Amino acid sequence: MQQASDAISELDLNAYVDEQLDDWQRLRVEDHLARHPEAAARVMQDIRLRRELRLALAPAGTPTGAHRAGAAQLSRALRRDERIRRAIRLVPVGLLVVTGWLANEGFGPLSVGKVVASQAPPPVVSAALSAREASLVRLPMRSQPQASRLDPAELRAATGILLPRFDRDWTIRDAQVFPSPQGPGIEIVFDAGDLGRLTHFAVRTGSFAVTMPHVETHGRENVAWFQIGETAHVMIADRGDVASLLGIAEQLSSTLY
């Protein structure tokens, strides 16, 4: 009998997970997985993640009590975020300027510290900032090779990370697998027009979540983050405003559904 499984590639495995193969091709892949337990475990993990995303994002026919409770919690969070954004848009600019000045100067009950965030950033943000610092040191060095070609399928096969669809007008300066406390992550450095030097860092956190994009300022850089499934994504830009970066984060997150 011909050893059909020897011809199986990572692209075949990804197509198997995405249910893009016919019955004969699926048999070939399953024969390969029967001979390679490590590949089988990775494929089963990808299938589980795909099903979790499908269940989380698709409307349920007959929801259970747990599903209804989770949906209610997500609905409250979405309404809260929308109310906050609507309120911010309605606040007069002059009032924001005065309030910010009073808070910065430390007058009265408005006194706050130098850094105030509406939501505490997850640990992956620290890993992304460390990766960016390393990349900014590495890029000017002639002795450090840079990878300007991006192969999402190869990176997913090696790390299990699904990347979003980036803007085609962005220029890739470097793409590296970077270590982090959460495990191997992918850092990509772009020249992104009005956003300047933008880095995208993605890593599997080990826990499932669907988190709306958030953005805040760290020093002179704007940082946005969100999580879809088990993968968290962080973007850091050295130019532009927080609204522009938040819009980019929302666009990228929608390409992962």
Side-chain angles (χ1 to χ4, degrees):
M1 179 179 177
Q2 182 182 1
Q3 298 296 327
S5 65
D6 293 341
I8 298 299
S9 67
E10 291 294 338
L11 292 178
D12 294 321
L13 296 179
N14 291 335
Y16 180 84
V17 172
D18 295 334
E19 300 178 356
Q20 297 176 351
L21 302 179
D22 59 31
D23 290 342
W24 284 107
Q25 290 173 321
R26 290 182 67 84
L27 285 174
R28 292 176 57 244
V29 172
E30 288 167 358
D31 178 64
H32 172 83
L33 296 178
R35 301 169 184 272
H36 299 81
E38 293 183 358
R42 188 173 71 249
V43 166
M44 291 303 296
Q45 174 73 4
D46 287 344
I47 291 175
R48 182 184 67 82
L49 175 58
R50 178 185 175 87
R51 289 177 178 171
E52 288 179 343
L53 281 172
R54 185 178 297 170
L55 290 173
L57 301 175
T62 306
T64 64
H67 289 161
R68 285 193 293 268
Q73 183 178 2
L74 178 59
S75 178
R76 288 194 297 271
L78 292 175
R79 289 197 300 268
R80 183 193 62 227
D81 282 1
E82 180 59 27
R83 287 196 300 269
I84 291 174
R85 291 180 187 175
R86 189 181 299 116
I88 290 175
R89 289 195 296 266
L90 294 175
V91 173
V93 174
L95 179 60
L96 286 176
V97 171
V98 173
T99 302
W101 179 77
L102 290 173
N104 186 64
E105 294 300 322
F107 292 122
L110 294 174
S111 178
V112 296
K114 290 294 183 180
V115 178
V116 176
S118 60
Q119 176 172 330
V124 68
V125 171
S126 297
L129 290 169
S130 298
R132 179 176 173 87
E133 291 178 1
S135 68
L136 295 181
V137 172
R138 184 177 64 250
L139 283 175
M141 299 176 64
R142 296 182 179 180
S143 62
Q144 297 295 309
Q146 300 172 15
S148 58
R149 177 179 174 272
L150 187 63
D151 189 336
E154 181 184 43
L155 290 171
R156 181 183 180 186
T159 64
I161 295 173
L162 177 63
L163 295 173
R165 292 192 295 271
F166 298 107
D167 192 324
R168 294 183 178 180
D169 293 333
W170 295 354
T171 301
I172 299 175
R173 293 294 307 276
D174 195 18
Q176 302 282 343
V177 175
F178 193 88
S180 76
Q182 294 78 25
I186 299 174
E187 187 198 34
I188 309 169
V189 184
F190 297 96
D191 286 335
D194 293 339
L195 293 175
R197 181 64 53 80
L198 181 143
T199 60
H200 175 274
F201 182 78
V203 68
R204 292 172 67 94
T205 64
S207 60
F208 183 91
V210 178
T211 304
M212 293 180 60
H214 290 76
V215 64
E216 67 177 29
T217 300
H218 282 260
R220 297 182 178 180
E221 299 174 327
N222 296 324
V223 181
W225 70 87
F226 61 89
Q227 181 169 339
I228 302 295
E230 291 189 350
T231 303
H233 302 260
V234 182
M235 281 146 291
I236 307 172
D238 57 8
R239 294 214 307 265
D241 53 31
V242 293
S244 298
L245 185 59
L246 180 61
I248 292 295
E250 291 173 342
Q251 292 176 13
L252 294 183
S253 66
S254 67
T255 67
L256 295 168
Y257 295 155

